[in-house]
Amino acid sequence: MTELLFEGYGVPSVAYGIDSVFSQYQNLGRKETSLILSCGRSASYAVPVVDGRVDAKNAKRVDVGGERVLKYAKDLLRVKFPQLSDDLSSP
């Protein structure tokens, strides 16, 4: 992939990493200490950053993401408002 980017498309540089950490570097700077919480479709992540470096040993993944949370919220709404069942279809 990297070879294709450099030779085929003339890309000057490539950076591989965790997207949420790149976001933190852009918004807070590289020397900050923080806890990044990232929620995807099927999983959520907690990534600690200490003085700008990812503490990979303590990073955690939980198999609960946006899809499951959305389904749970819809189920709660269906219980409380059964007349809305047809309006709560998935996109």
Side-chain angles (χ1 to χ4, degrees):
M1 175 69 152
T2 305
E3 183 178 349
L4 176 66
L5 290 172
F6 285 131
E7 294 178 6
Y9 296 102
V11 174
S13 65
V14 176
Y16 294 102
I18 303 169
D19 57 348
S20 54
V21 175
F22 287 144
S23 177
Q24 186 225 334
Y25 289 167
Q26 178 65 32
N27 293 305
L28 297 177
R30 291 188 176 264
K31 295 295 181 186
E32 294 292 321
T33 297
S34 62
L35 177 64
I36 300 171
L37 301 175
S38 177
C39 182
R41 180 173 178 252
S42 60
S44 298
Y45 303 89
V47 181
V49 178
V50 180
D51 295 328
R53 299 187 62 111
V54 172
D55 183 6
K57 185 171 69 171
N58 292 312
K60 302 295 180 200
R61 172 192 163 126
V62 179
D63 289 329
V64 175
E67 186 174 21
R68 186 181 285 177
V69 172
L70 181 62
K71 181 185 179 319
Y72 180 70
K74 285 181 181 180
D75 291 343
L76 287 177
L77 286 172
R78 282 189 181 108
V79 169
K80 184 156 177 100
F81 303 105
Q83 69 273 17
L84 296 178
S85 288
D86 294 336
D87 296 335
L88 295 174
S89 61
S90 297

